[in-house]
Amino acid sequence: MHEVLQKFFSPHSFRVAFPDVWFGFQLNLKLMIVSEILVLIFALGIAVIRGLPGRGAAPLRALAIIYTDIFRGTPLILVAFLVGFGLPGLNIRVISTQSLFAYGVISLTLVYTAYVTEVYRAGIESVHPSQRMAARSIGLNYWQSMRYVVIPQAVRRVIPPLLNDFVGLQKDTALVTVIGVAEAAQQAQQFSQNNYNFTSYVDAAVLFILLTIPLARFTDHLIAVRERRERAQAT
Amino acid sequence: MSFVSLKNVSKSFGDNTVLHDVDLTVEEHNVVCLIGASGSGKSTLLRCLNLLERVEQGEIVVDGQTITNGRVDVNALRRKIGIVFQAYNLFPHMTVIDNVMLGPTKVRRIGRADAHDRAKELLHRIGLADKADEFPDRLSGGQQQRVAIVRALAMEPKLMLLDEITSALDPQLVAEVLALVRELAESGMTMIIATHEMSFAKEVADKVCFLDAGVICEEGAPEQIFTAPQQARTREFLARVIEAGRM
């Protein structure tokens, strides 16, 4: 028992490892923020493309479907390998000369955009057709109807599931360690190997937990508020 | 020439023919009421008029413009034609005044300040100026429906289509909405109204059309339709309405 405590929960190691892990964790935060912003933008774009009407847009719709199918189905760790090791190996200007951080962002964005596209799409489809009809009937064109009427309602509805996906993304920033990004998990691993002690992983875990708890509670809060409002409307 | 004319207009959803060879004319500043059972094609007819539904056959001319030839600018057409729905369909994420201003600012490209003033004035006219900054779910059904009418009016349409706009309202809220429609009729607005309110139709209409199974079975002046209907089906329909205490 003492052995376990020493190896995993040593207060001394916790303190010693913390600065390096915290330094690495700041990289996780950057990965997370940059990726989340890119995901929010790209996913909305792809969700809108998936919903385009008409036969002319069929190829675009097909591309959007292929994209989401591929990147929802591929484990992030494989995408990270393909991007982080594959792209530099291509020896193409710009594409092959990015930083590891950039490859990390690209991997996370590719995978999470596919998830979040589906979240947005569900939101867009949940807006009742009568709302589009009302928007079109006052002369708004397709894009204006989407911009002012459909998307604002859709986004409000999907904020809780969206935040949920972001909790996932925050944690998965640790996965890009596999391509050599010196983030928290990487720093923890180094400490652990040098000192034959695993407390540094607990350091990292604590930081991730501290980051996700507020977001999780905030999501719960939003869901509760909405339920209260819907119940109030039903009566 | 009539302001609105339909010639041999047909429309079906799959195997289900909803409009069958409909002919109808509406003169400018006139009010035409469409009566008939639910599913008789009244709503579809209105939606075809502002191209929310595509017409498969026949010709519709509005304000001298043929709208069924596929070359018409749909958005420009809808600026001229306001429609109000049974379920109000206000935008729930916008305040009342933003609902009214959306069309004028985005479609007619009127400046925000100007559009705001006009919207406020319209809301004032219907006695809802104090609700301008409320969200629609804080309003009663009657208030919401009046806002929906004003939202359509803000586009300064030349023709208004009202699609059973009182059918979803509690009975005590119907009068305030009908009063507004009556006012519009008196101001000379050209309107086509699908309605179940027979006494209102009788009072406000210049012409009443009875639709049955997608066909205009009988049309004429309100006195004639309601007191001396020529067709057996019109008589049956009106008899059922009277039986239900709705006239």
Side-chain angles (χ1 to χ4, degrees):
Chain A
M1 187 63 199
H2 181 71
E3 177 88 348
V4 173
L5 284 175
Q6 267 311 306
K7 287 277 183 247
F8 288 88
F9 301 103
S10 151
H12 173 72
S13 298
F14 192 92
R15 276 196 304 276
V16 175
F18 190 80
D20 281 349
V21 174
W22 169 245
F23 181 77
F25 189 69
Q26 291 172 11
L27 203 55
N28 292 86
L29 289 176
K30 282 183 205 151
L31 280 166
M32 170 194 117
I33 291 166
V34 177
S35 306
E36 280 178 2
I37 291 168
L38 293 176
V39 165
L40 279 176
I41 297 167
F42 289 137
L44 183 57
I46 294 171
V48 169
I49 288 171
R50 277 203 72 168
L52 285 175
R55 212 174 293 161
L60 281 173
R61 282 199 300 270
L63 278 178
I65 292 168
I66 291 167
Y67 166 79
T68 45
D69 281 354
I70 288 177
F71 284 97
R72 257 195 329 167
T74 314
L76 173 59
I77 196 163
L78 294 179
V79 175
F81 281 141
L82 285 166
V83 171
F85 298 143
L87 294 186
L90 288 175
N91 279 323
I92 302 172
R93 269 176 39 186
V94 186
I95 290 178
S96 302
T97 54
Q98 294 299 319
S99 64
L100 287 174
F101 177 81
Y103 291 132
V105 167
I106 293 169
S107 310
L108 286 164
T109 305
L110 279 172
V111 169
Y112 273 88
T113 296
Y115 283 111
V116 173
T117 296
E118 293 302 294
V119 173
Y120 275 132
R121 196 165 68 97
I124 289 171
E125 282 174 5
S126 77
V127 176
H128 198 270
S130 63
Q131 285 286 310
R132 295 163 193 261
M133 202 165 64
R136 300 307 299 276
S137 75
I138 55 172
L140 296 176
N141 62 33
Y142 177 80
W143 292 107
Q144 289 173 321
S145 311
M146 291 298 281
R147 162 79 180 74
Y148 299 110
V149 176
V150 177
I151 289 173
Q153 293 186 57
V155 169
R156 274 177 181 78
R157 280 177 210 187
V158 300
I159 285 173
L162 216 55
L163 292 179
N164 229 358
D165 272 351
F166 280 162
V167 171
L169 189 150
Q170 287 177 5
K171 293 193 299 179
D172 279 356
T173 55
L175 271 174
V176 301
T177 191
V178 297
I179 58 172
V181 179
E183 48 70 68
Q186 178 108 314
Q187 299 287 357
Q189 189 181 20
Q190 244 163 42
F191 178 91
S192 162
Q193 280 166 354
N194 294 342
N195 300 281
Y196 193 58
N197 188 296
F198 307 105
T199 308
S200 53
Y201 290 121
V202 177
D203 272 291
V206 166
L207 288 172
F208 277 106
I209 291 168
L210 287 179
L211 183 66
T212 52
I213 284 176
L215 193 55
R217 285 297 89 77
F218 181 60
T219 310
D220 293 345
H221 167 73
L222 288 179
I223 292 171
V225 166
R226 171 181 313 168
E227 273 179 6
R228 224 176 303 140
R229 189 177 309 153
E230 276 170 7
R231 219 171 299 140
Q233 263 173 21
T235 54
Chain B
M1 204 171 109
S2 304
F3 190 71
V4 177
S5 80
L6 289 81
K7 264 191 219 115
N8 306 321
V9 169
S10 294
K11 165 79 188 171
S12 51
F13 297 108
D15 294 337
N16 183 18
T17 306
V18 193
L19 293 177
H20 193 72
D21 267 344
V22 168
D23 289 303
L24 175 71
T25 58
V26 181
E27 304 306 320
E28 197 164 13
H29 308 304
N30 272 13
V31 175
V32 171
C33 283
L34 308 175
I35 61 169
S38 297
S40 58
K42 305 188 297 290
S43 293
T44 307
L45 198 160
L46 294 182
R47 283 169 199 196
C48 286
L49 272 167
N50 71 347
L51 299 180
L52 285 173
E53 300 287 356
R54 286 265 164 219
V55 173
E56 283 129 17
Q57 229 185 80
E59 188 188 61
I60 302 178
V61 179
V62 176
D63 195 15
Q65 186 185 18
T66 305
I67 66 168
T68 37
N69 60 15
R71 285 193 299 273
V72 68
D73 177 350
V74 175
N75 299 312
L77 173 78
R78 289 185 187 142
R79 263 170 255 174
K80 286 200 291 198
I81 304 177
I83 185 164
V84 183
F85 305 96
Q86 178 176 342
Y88 339 132
N89 299 352
L90 292 177
F91 307 129
H93 61 299
M94 290 182 188
T95 59
V96 162
I97 194 146
D98 283 339
N99 264 278
V100 179
M101 286 167 61
L102 185 66
T105 51
K106 303 303 172 197
V107 180
R108 294 175 62 210
R109 307 226 165 261
I110 294 172
R112 271 195 79 80
D114 210 0
H116 187 275
D117 289 347
R118 291 185 200 201
K120 204 72 190 250
E121 194 187 303
L122 282 167
L123 288 172
H124 186 73
R125 237 174 70 190
I126 60 166
L128 290 177
D130 58 323
K131 303 282 187 198
D133 298 317
E134 299 271 16
F135 284 89
D137 63 358
R138 311 278 302 167
L139 272 58
S140 74
Q143 291 172 330
Q144 289 193 49
Q145 192 60 292
R146 284 185 288 149
V147 172
I149 293 171
V150 157
R151 177 174 71 180
L153 288 178
M155 296 300 291
E156 297 182 1
K158 300 175 96 169
L159 169 67
M160 285 283 279
L161 310 172
L162 309 183
D163 188 4
E164 295 189 24
I165 61 169
T166 56
S167 298
L169 293 176
D170 288 342
Q172 78 273 18
L173 301 175
V174 170
E176 58 183 80
V177 173
L178 292 185
L180 176 57
V181 176
R182 197 175 290 125
E183 208 178 289
L184 277 177
E186 282 160 8
S187 75
M189 176 66 78
T190 313
M191 287 192 280
I192 306 177
I193 303 175
T195 187
H196 289 299
E197 308 288 340
M198 298 304 155
S199 37
F200 179 72
K202 197 170 172 179
E203 166 201 346
V204 76
D206 296 288
K207 176 158 82 178
V208 173
C209 301
F210 169 63
L211 266 84
D212 186 62
V215 178
I216 294 189
C217 183
E218 182 168 357
E219 66 172 89
E223 308 80 53
Q224 183 250 304
I225 296 286
F226 289 115
T227 53
Q230 304 297 301
Q231 301 290 325
R233 277 181 296 174
T234 316
R235 281 196 294 270
E236 276 166 34
F237 173 73
L238 290 172
R240 272 191 314 238
V241 170
I242 290 165
E243 205 176 319
R246 297 294 288 269
M247 192 162 78

